[in-house]
């Protein structure tokens, strides 16, 4: 790459010779306005017009434009397209020309400011706004306006869209200044398309910048948007069909992201990104790079996908089999048809790549030793992180093998032990040490660990004891806890259960206990829950398979007591639950005891919650270097949430030991490839379904009953991902600089001697004074000379400066109830 020296506004810069003047200026902190160019787009790439486009059911054909040459408007072979003409600059003292399509050259001199350029840009803006609503942009009361009640009586169809105050075109218009002779906007009657998934297409307010067409065509390679010239106006729409789905849209959102107006926008309430991340990543407690590993799987790179998953989730097999996948609840593909089967693809990756030799990457030995008490999900997650960061880790556990509740409370038909063991091999390869058969508070205490010179201690003992109902009758024969039943089943020691079976609870343990009861010979199993179907803590997948197996669920019932005969439970007395949670969201069930029911039962299984098997209170605040993690710290949660909290504790422990908290320890590079390509029928592809053993057969054993995806199915399912992460990686369009400047003598030299209004404010940008003047430079200089105290200053150029001053004063009065700086009300008149 060669470089050239250019001078921009009297400053010399060395820049790559491949840049346009605008990109060279922006690269060096000099703003030049523009609405058709974008950092993701090549300004020198030719543009091809379409033969026709669809705007919903409206088909618009290409007619060309007599204002442009034939080569500029020919279908399919165009060399150019109408530009916004807002980036005009002077090159080598010449007349205004576009900065976005002018390449830099050695010795070039560029001027980006001046009255001639301001006037030329305003003429261009005037033409753009003739086809775009702008009454709200010039309204003195636009700040905070709801757009519903208009004091200026602007017709609804002539008002700005919901992005008022946030759109790029509004900010650019403010920067350039809307000419007073801008023609009134007249709606063309183009219908809004708001009944499609994810996006709203409002071509009525499209300005024809063509960013959307170019990014879809040139960057994403999807090419389902096009543009035509008809009636001296650019019309953008889909090609290949009236709807985005028919046109084979990939729904990546790039077109919406680069649109400067709101002609393409997200449907209200559908956040495309959460804190700059794909919704699935933001919903995952471990923040696994879900789009990244789905992309790797779609390209047949399963080993790399497994390593990327392990970067954040060190038990990929466990999560692939047993995670309740909050990521899928927010997957945007669910708005098209069904969410991507993220969890099932993770299971596939673990199954096909989990047994392959693992490349162990860890930092050099730190010489630090960490004790972790508890070998469940939280303890294992903390251990893996600390091991990878170079610390020595020993897990203390009361059992004879690692896994905790993964082994004790999750049935084999959901999570086979061999999957747990396969994930644990990775930790042992990292150097994990263990000590079994030891309980904190019974066989050892913190002082013992400190005597052994452990530098940090993490307590992740989980919640292994069942919570009691607290009502008479729990000691009856035939009543047992769900945790005890699941533990006995895991050990192969559970006996067959007598019918009918009633399971009390609404979470995963209750559902697992009910399904286990079916496998222990019970034919009639009913789950009784306080919660409604929408409030249940169990996942939809769990409930679906339970219902398939003939398990009945009774919602909104609580337990009032038991009926018995000779010490044996005979029935459960129920009372109607009217509310589970109070107005603050706290658990506070209310009942209508006048509504009751008796449920015959020979076996009752209680599964209403868990608690710690030991007294944890003494360990909270035990001193520096001691951390509580997982369910012991947060209360009952999920596997993935417990792992996330274990990771949180590991970060805190690492920082205590002198580390920085998080370091990348995998070798997977996740450089973003912006290209997607066209996929016929993409929107119609349905979610892959894993094969299941028929309910009548699967209840005969504790074996896993759902198959892992085939390679073909997994790769096809991974390819359904919308790649929301690509939208997050798009560069942002440069916005006008902050209009506020430090109010000092240096600023006066930069101000134009033009008609307008000066606004002075304090450090918090609270307005102190508003002054209109035929020469704002002189007005500001006079205020500075008089000793007026202000931190910052901005100005608006306006030949009708007295009117603009009055508008700003009235606006301030309406918002704050006083004139800026407490000036006399007579200033308003």
């Amino acid at each position: 790459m060669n470089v050239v020296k250019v001078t921009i506004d009297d400053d010399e810069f060395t820049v790559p010779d491949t840049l346009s003047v605008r990109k060279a200026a922006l690269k060096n902190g000099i703003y030049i306005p523009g609405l058709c160019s974008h950092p993701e787009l090549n300004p020198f790439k030719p543009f091809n017009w379409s033969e026709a486009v669809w705007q919903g059911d409206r088909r618009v054909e290409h007619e060309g434009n007599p204002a442009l040459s034939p080569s500029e408007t020919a279908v399919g072979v165009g060399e150019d397209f109408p530009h916004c003409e807002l980036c005009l600059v002077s090159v080598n003292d010449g007349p205004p020309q576009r900065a976005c399509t002018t390449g830099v050259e050695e010795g070039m001199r560029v001027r980006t400011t001046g009255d001639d350029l301001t006037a030329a840009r305003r003429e261009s803006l005037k033409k753009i706004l003739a086809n775009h609503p702008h009454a709200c942009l010039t309204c003195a009361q636009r700040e905070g306006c709801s757009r519903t009640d208009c004091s200026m009586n602007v017709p609804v169809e002539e008002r700005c869209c919901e992005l008022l105050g946030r759109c790029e075109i509004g900010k650019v218009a403010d920067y350039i200044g809307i000419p007073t002779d801008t023609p009134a906007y007249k709606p063309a009657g183009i219908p809004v398309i708001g009944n499609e998934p994810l996006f709203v297409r409002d071509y009525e307010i499209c300005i024809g910048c063509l960013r959307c067409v170019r990014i879809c065509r040139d960057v994403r390679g999807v090419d389902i948007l096009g543009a035509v010239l008809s009636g001296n106006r650019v019309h953008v729409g889909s090609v290949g069909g009236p709807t985005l789905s028919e046109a084979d849209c990939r729904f990546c959102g790039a077109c919406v992201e680069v649109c400067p107006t709101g002609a393409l926008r997200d449907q209200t309430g559908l956040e495309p990104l959460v804190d700059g991340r794909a919704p699935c990543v933001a919903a995952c407690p471990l923040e696994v790079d879900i789009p990244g590993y789905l992309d790797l799987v779609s390209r047949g790179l399963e080993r790399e996908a497994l390593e990327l998953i392990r970067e954040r989730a060190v038990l990929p097999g466990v999560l692939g089999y047993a995670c309740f996948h909050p990521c899928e609840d927010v997957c945007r593909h669910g708005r098209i048809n069904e969410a991507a089967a993220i969890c099932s693809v993770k299971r596939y990756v673990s199954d096909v790549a989990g047994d392959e030799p693992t490349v162990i990457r860890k930092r050099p030995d730190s010489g630090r030793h960490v004790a972790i008490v508890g070998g469940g999900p939280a303890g294992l997650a903390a251990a893996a992180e600390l091991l990878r960061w170079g610390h020595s880790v020993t897990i203390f556990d009361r059992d004879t093998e690692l896994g905790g509740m993964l082994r004790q409370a999750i049935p084999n038909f959901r999570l086979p032990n061999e999957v747990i063991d396969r994930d644990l091999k990775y930790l042992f390869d990292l150097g994990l040490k263990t000590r079994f058969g030891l309980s904190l508070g019974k066989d050892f205490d913190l002082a013992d660990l400190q005597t052994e010179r452990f530098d940090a201690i993490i307590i992740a003992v989980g919640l292994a004891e069942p919570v009691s109902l607290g009502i008479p009758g729990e000691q009856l024969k035939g009543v047992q806890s769900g945790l005890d039943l699941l533990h006995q089943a895991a050990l192969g020691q559970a006996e067959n259960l007598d019918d009918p079976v009633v399971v009390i609870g609404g979470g995963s343990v209750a559902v697992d206990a009910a399904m286990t009861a079916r496998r222990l010979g019970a034919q009639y199993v009913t789950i009784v829950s306080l919660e409604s179907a929408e409030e249940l803590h169990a996942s939809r997948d769990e409930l679906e398979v339970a219902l398939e197996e003939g398990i009945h669920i009774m919602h909104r019932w609580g337990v009032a007591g038991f009926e018995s005969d000779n010490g044996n439970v005979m029935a459960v007395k129920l009372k109607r639950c009217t509310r589970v949670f109070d107005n603050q969201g706290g658990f506070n069930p209310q009942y209508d005891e006048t509504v009751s029911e008796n449920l015959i039962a020979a076996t009752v299984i209680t599964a209403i919650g868990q608690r710690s098997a030991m007294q944890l209170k003494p360990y909270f605040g035990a001193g520096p270097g001691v951390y509580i993690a997982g369910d012991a710290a947060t209360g009952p949660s999920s596997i993935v949430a417990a792992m996330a909290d274990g990771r949180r504790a590991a970060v805190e422990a690492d920082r205590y030991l002198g580390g920085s908290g998080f370091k990348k320890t995998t070798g997977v590079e996740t450089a973003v490839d912006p290209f997607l390509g066209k996929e016929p029928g993409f929107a119609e592809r349905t979610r892959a379904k894993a094969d299941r053993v028929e309910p009548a057969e699967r209840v005969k054993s504790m074996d896993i009953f759902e198959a892992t995806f085939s390679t073909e199915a997994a790769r096809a399912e991974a390819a359904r991902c919308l790649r929301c992460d690509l939208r997050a990686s798009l560069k942002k369009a440069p916005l006008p600089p902050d209009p506020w400047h430090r109010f000092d003598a240096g600023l006066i030299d930069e101000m134009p001697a033009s008609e307008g209004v000066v606004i002075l404010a304090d450090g918090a940008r609270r307005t102190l004074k508003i002054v209109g003047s035929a020469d704002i430079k002189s007005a500001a200089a006079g205020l500075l000379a008089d000793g007026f105290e202000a931190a910052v200053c901005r100005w608006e150029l306006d030949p009708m400066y007295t009117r603009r001053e009055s508008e700003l004063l009235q606006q301030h009065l309406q918002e704050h109830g006083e004139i800026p700086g407490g000036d006399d009300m007579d200033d308003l008149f």
Side-chain angles (χ1 to χ4, degrees):
M1 181 179 63
N2 298 320
V3 296
V4 295
K5 289 184 177 180
V6 297
T7 300
I8 306 177
D9 293 341
D10 299 326
D11 289 322
E12 186 176 84
F13 303 101
T14 300
V15 300
D17 64 356
T18 56
L19 296 183
S20 67
V21 168
R22 185 170 189 258
K23 286 193 174 183
L26 293 170
K27 182 180 177 67
N28 288 283
I30 300 172
Y31 178 73
I32 298 176
L35 290 173
C36 59
S37 60
H38 190 277
E40 295 287 350
L41 301 175
N42 181 351
F44 306 115
K45 187 165 186 175
F47 181 82
N48 298 329
W49 297 98
S50 303
E51 292 184 1
V53 297
W54 291 92
Q55 295 176 336
D57 294 330
R58 180 174 182 260
R59 189 173 187 271
V60 186
E61 296 185 351
H62 184 71
E63 299 173 358
N65 189 332
L68 300 175
S69 67
S71 67
E72 290 177 316
T73 61
V75 172
V77 295
E79 294 297 325
D80 206 350
F81 58 89
H83 291 78
C84 68
E85 306 288 343
L86 298 179
C87 64
L88 300 176
V89 296
S90 173
V91 176
N92 298 331
D93 297 324
Q97 65 184 80
R98 293 195 297 264
C100 66
T101 56
T102 301
V104 294
E105 296 178 359
E106 179 65 36
M108 176 181 281
R109 290 177 293 105
V110 179
R111 176 171 55 84
T112 71
T113 61
D115 291 343
D116 58 332
L117 298 178
T118 298
R121 291 171 182 172
R122 288 183 174 177
E123 282 300 308
S124 300
L125 180 62
K126 183 165 62 175
K127 296 175 183 177
I128 293 171
L129 293 181
N131 290 319
H132 185 82
H134 55 270
C136 299
L137 299 180
T138 58
C139 180
Q141 302 176 50
R142 70 180 185 184
E143 298 297 332
C145 179
S146 65
R147 300 180 303 109
T148 53
D149 299 319
C150 179
S151 60
M152 304 300 292
N153 294 319
V154 175
V156 172
E157 63 273 14
E158 296 180 23
R159 299 176 194 173
C160 286
C161 74
E162 63 199 51
L163 299 184
L164 175 64
R166 295 179 286 131
C167 65
E168 185 183 346
I169 190 173
K171 296 179 187 299
V172 171
D174 283 345
Y175 177 81
I176 294 173
I178 300 175
T180 55
D181 60 343
T182 300
Y185 161 72
K186 298 298 181 186
I190 302 174
V192 176
I193 307 166
N195 59 349
E196 293 184 319
L198 300 177
F199 311 128
V200 174
R201 292 191 284 162
D202 187 358
Y203 292 121
E204 175 67 49
I205 61 175
C206 174
I207 60 171
C209 70
L210 302 181
R211 282 184 186 176
C212 57
V213 179
R214 294 160 65 202
I215 200 162
C216 183
R217 181 182 299 177
D218 302 338
V219 178
R220 291 288 184 261
V222 181
D223 198 15
I224 65 100
L225 294 178
V228 299
L229 280 166
S230 178
N232 292 328
R233 177 172 176 168
V234 174
H235 291 267
V236 172
S238 55
V239 293
T243 69
L244 295 178
S245 295
E246 290 173 300
D248 295 327
C249 177
R250 297 290 298 269
F251 294 93
C252 69
C255 56
V256 178
E257 192 68 21
V258 300
C259 177
T261 65
L264 299 176
R265 58 185 185 268
D266 296 294
Q267 287 186 2
T268 303
L270 290 183
E271 290 296 329
L273 300 172
V274 181
D275 296 328
R277 299 168 297 171
C280 57
V281 177
C284 174
L286 284 167
E287 299 179 322
V288 173
D289 183 0
I290 294 166
Y293 83 71
L294 291 179
D295 177 54
L296 291 169
V297 173
S298 73
R299 294 189 281 128
L301 301 173
E302 283 83 3
R303 288 188 63 179
E304 291 82 353
L306 180 61
E307 191 167 356
L308 183 59
I309 294 168
R310 276 192 180 137
E311 176 70 54
R312 306 291 299 198
V314 296
L315 303 175
V318 167
L319 293 175
Y321 277 77
C323 186
F324 77 119
H325 47 74
C327 51
E328 295 184 18
D329 293 337
V330 298
C331 175
R332 286 166 62 83
H333 211 305
R335 295 284 181 164
I336 301 172
N337 45 36
E338 295 176 277
I342 298 167
C343 194
S344 295
V345 174
K346 189 190 296 104
R347 169 176 165 174
Y348 159 78
V349 170
S350 172
D351 281 359
V352 301
D355 289 323
E356 296 186 19
T358 303
V359 178
I360 299 299
R361 294 181 174 88
K362 54 190 295 189
R363 297 179 69 83
D365 189 352
S366 69
R368 301 286 193 162
H369 303 274
V370 181
I372 297 178
V373 183
L380 295 171
E385 300 297 357
L386 292 165
L387 287 164
R388 295 193 294 200
W389 298 339
H391 307 304
S392 172
V393 178
T394 302
I395 289 183
F396 294 76
D397 199 280
R398 68 178 186 174
D399 293 315
T400 57
E401 55 186 345
L402 295 176
M405 299 297 282
L406 298 177
R407 294 188 194 274
Q408 298 171 16
I410 302 180
N412 187 76
F413 54 78
R414 280 188 60 209
L415 179 60
N417 279 333
E418 54 265 32
V419 175
I420 302 173
D421 293 335
R422 186 173 62 209
D423 281 349
L424 290 176
K425 182 180 182 302
Y426 174 68
L427 278 84
F428 286 121
D429 289 346
L430 285 170
L432 177 65
K433 303 171 187 176
T434 57
R435 295 190 199 175
F436 292 121
L438 300 171
S439 296
L440 179 64
K442 178 180 178 182
D443 302 304
F444 68 96
D445 217 322
L446 294 184
D448 299 311
L449 298 177
Q450 291 160 346
T451 299
E452 286 197 51
R453 298 190 180 279
F454 283 103
D455 301 293
I457 301 167
I458 295 176
I459 299 173
V461 293
L463 304 176
E465 294 292 325
V467 171
S468 169
L469 284 170
I471 59 176
E474 283 189 87
Q475 305 307 316
L476 291 170
K477 186 178 179 180
V479 180
Q480 62 178 309
S481 78
L483 285 181
D484 288 343
L485 174 68
L486 294 173
H487 193 196
Q488 292 165 9
L491 296 173
Q493 299 173 356
E495 298 179 354
N496 279 3
L497 301 178
D498 294 329
D499 273 325
V501 175
V502 174
V503 180
I504 301 169
S508 296
V509 174
V511 175
D512 286 343
M515 293 175 64
T516 299
R518 288 285 284 121
R519 286 155 177 79
L520 293 174
Q523 298 294 314
Y524 306 102
V525 180
T526 301
I527 296 174
V528 176
S529 74
L530 294 173
E531 298 88 355
S532 65
E534 296 75 24
E535 294 169 328
L536 281 177
H537 295 295
S539 72
R540 289 194 302 272
D541 290 349
E542 291 176 308
L543 295 170
E544 177 185 313
V545 295
L547 292 172
E548 284 179 357
E549 295 179 6
I551 295 168
H552 180 56
I553 303 177
M554 293 177 63
H555 297 287
R556 290 290 192 176
W557 289 99
V559 178
F562 299 99
E563 290 185 358
S564 63
D565 182 33
N566 292 325
N568 296 308
V569 68
M570 300 298 292
V572 183
K573 294 189 288 186
L574 303 179
K575 55 185 176 181
R576 172 63 71 187
C577 178
T578 57
R579 187 179 73 173
V580 181
F581 304 101
D582 58 28
N583 294 333
Q584 287 70 46
F587 181 73
N588 184 21
Q590 302 293 311
Y591 301 97
D592 180 357
E593 303 203 22
T594 64
V595 182
S596 62
E597 186 167 329
N598 275 19
L599 201 58
I600 302 300
T603 302
V604 176
I605 301 169
T606 62
I608 63 168
Q610 296 101 253
R611 60 182 179 84
S612 175
M614 56 177 288
Q615 187 59 249
L616 286 172
K617 189 174 181 180
Y619 300 104
F620 283 93
V626 179
Y627 306 94
I628 314 294
D631 288 0
T634 65
S637 61
S638 63
I639 300 171
V640 67
M643 289 177 63
D645 199 65
R647 191 176 184 285
R648 183 269 312 160
V651 169
E652 292 182 11
D654 182 58
R655 287 174 178 160
Y656 171 75
L657 299 174
S660 59
F662 174 73
K663 309 111 181 153
K664 184 175 176 65
T665 50
T666 70
V668 179
E669 295 299 327
T670 54
V672 175
D673 180 0
F675 184 85
L676 288 176
K678 194 174 184 70
E679 292 286 345
F682 178 80
E684 278 68 47
R685 295 181 184 176
T686 56
R687 177 183 170 113
K689 305 292 184 184
D691 292 334
R692 290 177 182 165
V693 176
E694 288 298 317
E697 287 299 313
R698 68 188 188 220
V699 298
K700 295 178 181 179
S701 79
M702 292 288 182
D703 294 339
I704 191 82
F705 59 83
E706 185 168 283
T708 299
F709 280 161
S710 67
T711 295
E712 181 183 11
R715 291 177 179 175
E717 182 61 24
R720 289 179 67 240
C721 176
L722 301 185
R723 299 302 309 278
C724 301
D725 59 318
L726 294 183
R727 182 166 176 178
S729 68
L730 288 173
K731 299 184 183 74
K732 301 296 183 184
L735 296 175
D738 188 344
W740 292 101
H741 305 270
R742 189 181 189 85
F743 184 54
D744 56 22
L747 175 65
I748 305 302
D749 295 335
E750 300 177 14
M751 292 182 69
S754 305
E755 301 165 314
V757 181
V758 177
I759 302 100
L760 299 168
D762 61 16
R765 301 192 177 183
R766 290 186 291 260
T767 303
L768 300 174
K769 197 168 189 67
I770 299 173
V771 179
S773 174
D775 183 349
I776 60 171
K777 184 187 188 87
S778 298
L783 289 167
L784 188 65
D786 291 341
F788 189 87
E789 294 185 3
V792 291
C793 168
R794 68 178 179 89
W795 59 88
E796 296 182 15
L797 302 181
D798 194 330
M800 306 292 289
Y801 58 87
T802 54
R803 185 189 70 179
R804 184 57 179 155
E805 176 190 26
S806 178
E807 289 174 345
L808 291 173
L809 285 169
Q810 290 184 58
Q811 178 182 327
H812 191 279
L813 178 63
Q814 290 175 351
E815 292 179 4
H816 304 284
E818 63 178 8
I819 293 297
D823 287 343
D824 193 278
M825 288 286 286
D826 289 342
D827 289 351
L828 196 57
F829 306 100

